[in-house]
Every structure is written in structure tokens, then in C-alpha cells.
Amino acid sequence: MSMDTIDIKWARLELLPALPYSISSTSSHTSLGLAFARQTGVHAIGSDIRHDFDAWPGDFAISTAGLPMFSESAHGGEYLLMHITSPDMLAGMRALSPRQIFQGDKQAVMLAWQLRSLLLQKDKDALLLQEKAGLFLKRGLILTNEKSSKAKTCSPYAQDKVLHSRILDYIEDQLDTTVNLEELATIANMPLLRFLRSFAHATGTTPHTYITERRLQRARLLILDSNLSIADIAADCGFAHQSHLGSAFKSRLGLSPQQYRKLAG
């Protein structure tokens, strides 16, 4: 079940929540999806053989129509999903493998954040949603058609994934405290500049932006699932003070924490 769903002229947009799930379906439409958070679980894509998966923040997946898919996760992760309901919008796309995943594309990540913000609004701007969705699709078409794509299997930074896995785990444990970039680079055993480039290629964002994103995701869960004050939530999620949380909310989501709680209620 999605938190927010809207149909535009040529697509259906869904914002899936960070909740446990188990799905088994075959989509009748080509779909594009982007992960806002890391999630792990078990899936079977196009076959009956199930494998463990580890989806990373910034993973941009394109799946063809008619692809059987099973996926299950004990915790889930916020995810933007766009089903292309008008095949004409895919004109010019080269023949796809059943599922392609592009890792850490900055433009796709930024457009997904903008679409999420629009989907969270009480009064949704359908024209702006259609414009941003068109750009999101266009980015998918470009990545698919590029000869030197950023597919996971071809990424020059793929060898750093094990290192960044440790970094993501460390960040999760330290969200309520100050996270030092130099310390992250040391954990990754990289010079600072190389670490910053490598992290951006892996996730599509800088470490600082990613940390803020994860803090916001945690704050949103607390706003929805607790009676804590906004000030207490800000402190629990590593924000310096309530107004710091408020400005991050406004900048990334287009809402204040109070507005978010009211809409959710």
C-alpha cells in the first residue's frame, strides 16, 4: 500500500513507505523506481529462484512490462515507483534487458526527491508532477540508451561497495550524534577527496546530504508513530535544534514538521 499515489496522463506515481512488505506480481507496465533508503530482503526477478538482495539508496531500477517479480523485506524502505501507462512515452528506448539498475545517478536522485515532495503535498500540483515525472523518465531513457551506462555491473566504483556498506552501517548507528567526514574516510580507508567522490558515485549524494536525508526519514517515522514533541524528535535524530529540523523539512519536503504530522493524522 502506497502512502501517496496519483495518476498523471501517461503514468501512475506511487510513494511506497518504509514498512515490511511481501509482494508477488507481474506488472503490465514498464516501471521506473528509485530507493530513498537502503533495504535488504529476498527477491526473485523473472524466475522462481530467490536471492538475497541489498538495495542501496540511489539505486534507480527500470523493469520491463510482463516481468514476474517476488520481493520481501522485513523492514522495507521508502521508494518512488512510476508505472508508464502509455507505451508511446517509451518511444526511442532501446531494447531493455528485463531489469536494469543504475547506481548513484545524481540527476535521478534529485528528481526523485522533487517528486516525493510534490506527492507529499495535500494539494498536489498535477502539472508540476507531470513535468518532473517527464524529466525522471527522460533520465531513465538517457541512462538506458547510453553506451557507457552506470549500471551496477559496469560501475568503476563497484569495488568500493563493501567499504561503503560499512559506512552506511556506521552512519545508521550515529544518526543522533555528530558524524565527522574525516572519520568516515578513515573507516573507508580512503583519502578524503577520493572518499567523497566514491560515496557520491555509490549513492548519488554527498555524505552530508545523505546523513540529513536519513535523519529526516527517521524524524518522519517518529512524527507518524509517536507522540514525541518536535523538539524531542529533532534531538533524537541528530538535529541541532527544532528549527534545524524545520528548515531541513521545508527544504527537502516542502512541509514543516507540524504540517507533516497534521496531514498524516
Side-chain angles (χ1 to χ4, degrees), residues 2-4 15-19 78 120 216-230 233 237 245 249 253 255-265:
S2 64
M3 292 172 64
D4 291 272
L15 184 60
L16 305 177
L19 293 172
E78 190 175 35
L120 288 173
L216 279 172
Q217 290 180 24
R218 179 176 290 186
R220 287 166 60 201
L221 288 175
L222 288 173
I223 288 171
L224 294 178
D225 298 336
S226 78
N227 294 319
L228 291 173
S229 69
I230 302 301
I233 290 173
C237 297
L245 171 62
F249 246 82
L253 304 173
L255 297 165
S256 70
Q258 294 84 354
Q259 288 173 324
Y260 185 74
R261 175 168 271 172
K262 185 176 181 180
L263 282 175

Side-chain angles (χ1 to χ4, degrees), residues 75 85 144 201 255:
H75 57 82
T85 54
T144 300
H201 276 82
L255 297 165

Side-chain angles (χ1 to χ4, degrees), residues 97-111:
S97 59
R99 183 173 170 87
Q100 296 186 70
I101 300 179
F102 303 93
Q103 184 177 356
D105 184 76
K106 182 178 179 180
Q107 290 186 46
V109 170
M110 294 298 171
L111 286 165

Side-chain angles (χ1 to χ4, degrees), residues 15-33:
L15 184 60
L16 305 177
L19 293 172
Y21 69 85
S22 180
I23 60 169
S24 181
S25 64
T26 300
S27 175
S28 57
H29 306 293
T30 293
S31 64
L32 291 79

Side-chain angles (χ1 to χ4, degrees), residues 56-237:
W56 274 37
D59 276 4
F60 184 25
I62 303 177
S63 304
T64 55
L67 179 66
M69 184 178 300
F70 168 84
S71 185
E72 185 174 84
S73 175
H75 57 82
E78 190 175 35
Y79 197 85
L80 176 71
L81 187 59
M82 182 166 73
H83 301 280
I84 308 302
T85 54
S86 173
D88 292 344
M89 295 300 295
L90 300 172
M93 177 182 277
R94 294 179 183 174
L96 288 173
S97 59
R99 183 173 170 87
Q100 296 186 70
I101 300 179
F102 303 93
Q103 184 177 356
D105 184 76
K106 182 178 179 180
Q107 290 186 46
V109 170
M110 294 298 171
L111 286 165
W113 284 349
Q114 291 169 11
L115 284 166
R116 177 181 60 182
S117 176
L118 290 168
L119 285 167
L120 288 173
Q121 306 307 309
K122 180 180 179 181
D123 299 315
K124 295 174 176 52
D125 188 329
L127 289 178
L128 189 54
L129 268 167
Q130 187 164 304
E131 176 189 337
K132 295 299 182 181
L135 293 173
F136 189 64
L137 172 59
K138 181 179 179 181
R139 188 60 189 160
L141 295 175
I142 289 172
L143 289 173
T144 300
N145 292 339
E146 279 181 349
K147 291 181 180 179
S148 55
S149 74
K150 294 184 179 180
K152 280 185 171 180
T153 53
C154 303
S155 170
Y157 290 86
Q159 67 271 22
D160 293 337
K161 185 167 184 178
V162 173
L163 295 173
H164 287 308
S165 181
R166 294 206 304 266
I167 295 298
L168 296 184
D169 289 341
Y170 180 82
I171 288 172
E172 288 301 303
D173 291 338
Q174 303 294 320
L175 282 178
D176 60 345
T177 64
T178 300
V179 181
N180 184 279
L181 290 181
E182 286 77 11
E183 187 173 0
L184 295 180
T186 299
I187 294 171
N189 195 27
M190 294 180 188
L192 180 59
L193 289 179
R194 185 180 187 281
F195 166 69
L196 294 175
R197 288 194 297 269
S198 184
F199 189 91
H201 276 82
T203 66
T205 66
T206 66
H208 174 76
T209 302
Y210 173 75
I211 291 166
T212 300
E213 170 67 19
R214 286 298 299 136
R215 285 173 171 160
L216 279 172
Q217 290 180 24
R218 179 176 290 186
R220 287 166 60 201
L221 288 175
L222 288 173
I223 288 171
L224 294 178
D225 298 336
S226 78
N227 294 319
L228 291 173
S229 69
I230 302 301
D232 286 342
I233 290 173
D236 287 349
C237 297

